[in-house]
Amino acid sequence: MIELRGLTKRYGDKTAVDNLTFTVRPGMVTGFLGPNGAGKSTTMRMMLGLDSPTSGDVHIDGKRYDQLRDPLNHIGALLEAKAVHGGRSAYNHLLCMAQANNIPKKRINSVLDLVGLSDVAKKRPKGFSLGMGQRLGIAAALLGNPKILMFDEPVNGLDPEGIHWIRNLMKHLASEGRTVFVSSHLMSEMALTAEHLVVIGRGKLLADTSMADFIAKN
Ligand code: ADP
Ligand code: ADP
């Protein structure tokens, strides 16, 4: 479970994230909808401890990110357009992450298998398609077998097959009881993916409701 309380981020006199309070619950996909520039990425970065709030806070399973022991075992994330660089193979990229985070080596083959990259594990991600890069990012997010997963605009730029695959994976992870939080600027995408919906605009909370209620009222 993720709890945001009065989460706020200002850049100079611009308020990118404005007093957000909501809870993301386990066992379902929660969509995070808002137009470009609404503050979704900034919110997610603060949820992951990558950016500090101006005020307010985020609790993950009752703790702040910096208080979590082995954070990758609690929360995994795929951030927007975060391509993997460097000369390491896909396998070695995951190995470095595993070693840095006390994750058993045998998890690497499990996650490569899960995302369908076992056959190219020895290849360098530099030559990967966008879809394969996304899959490797997802493998990295799943490495610590976290109960909470966050995806920032995961289907942007993917072909229909890749979109379908990611959508099903998110639903599968939720069906296992995990907390899945996914952002998009497309209502059509959210409607096909999420059971619960949080909507923001100009940094402010506009809705926090079940998808069925949101569709019935809009
Ligand atoms: P979204 O992910 O919904 O597209 P962002 O969180 O990326 O929105 O951006 C929200 C607002 O905050 C935008 O107006 C953006 O320009 C601004 N912003 C984001 N990061 C910074 C930054 N590092 N410095 C200044 N302004 C920023
Ligand atoms: P086994 O069948 O031996 O459990 P798996 O590869 O299915 O092997 O799972 C290994 C670990 O990965 C288990 O702890 C399991 O809970 C976890 N796991 C299974 N499915 C997923 C998934 N979709 N995402 C993340 N971890 C998973």
Side-chain angles (χ1 to χ4, degrees):
M1 183 151 97
I2 319 174
E3 294 168 278
L4 284 71
R5 297 181 206 146
L7 193 70
T8 299
K9 181 71 178 182
R10 286 191 204 95
Y11 293 108
D13 54 10
K14 183 180 170 65
T15 305
V17 174
D18 195 351
N19 196 26
L20 290 185
T21 297
F22 63 86
T23 298
V24 188
R25 296 197 159 73
M28 66 177 87
V29 177
T30 297
F32 192 30
L33 178 70
N36 289 325
K40 304 183 297 297
S41 297
T42 305
T43 301
M44 288 176 127
R45 289 177 56 78
M46 289 192 284
M47 291 164 90
L48 290 163
L50 296 171
D51 220 338
S52 53
T54 306
S55 59
D57 54 30
V58 179
H59 283 83
I60 294 158
D61 295 335
K63 292 189 174 125
R64 282 205 322 269
Y65 190 92
D66 61 2
Q67 296 170 327
L68 293 173
R69 242 182 108 229
D70 298 324
L72 291 196
N73 295 329
H74 287 269
I75 184 161
L78 178 73
L79 296 182
E80 204 173 4
K82 193 172 158 264
V84 173
H85 295 294
R88 287 195 292 270
S89 68
Y91 182 92
N92 282 335
H93 170 71
L94 295 172
L95 180 62
C96 287
M97 282 188 66
Q99 286 171 339
N101 292 280
N102 297 316
I103 292 165
K105 223 167 127 178
K106 66 179 166 64
R107 269 299 284 170
I108 300 170
N109 287 325
S110 301
V111 295
L112 283 168
D113 195 36
L114 200 72
V115 303
L117 289 181
S118 298
D119 292 346
V120 294
K122 292 196 173 122
K123 297 217 160 79
R124 290 175 184 192
K126 222 164 76 174
F128 284 7
S129 67
L130 180 68
M132 287 162 77
Q134 288 289 79
R135 284 172 190 246
L136 181 58
I138 291 169
L142 294 174
L143 198 57
N145 197 15
K147 287 278 182 323
I148 302 175
L149 288 146
M150 300 201 345
F151 300 84
D152 193 4
E153 299 269 7
V155 304
N156 268 7
L158 295 186
D159 60 19
E161 196 196 339
I163 292 174
H164 189 73
W165 181 82
I166 290 193
R167 200 184 283 147
N168 282 344
L169 176 72
M170 291 190 290
K171 289 182 185 181
H172 173 74
L173 293 167
S175 77
E176 293 178 322
R178 298 176 207 262
T179 304
V180 180
F181 189 55
V182 53
S183 73
S184 177
H185 60 285
L186 294 172
M187 179 57 200
S188 54
E189 181 54 36
M190 296 278 81
L192 291 168
T193 309
E195 206 179 314
H196 194 88
L197 191 64
V198 172
V199 186
I200 65 167
R202 295 171 189 266
K204 287 190 163 70
L205 188 72
L206 301 180
D208 176 6
T209 173
S210 74
M211 181 60 75
D213 276 3
F214 187 82
I215 288 172
K217 285 173 189 151
N218 285 274

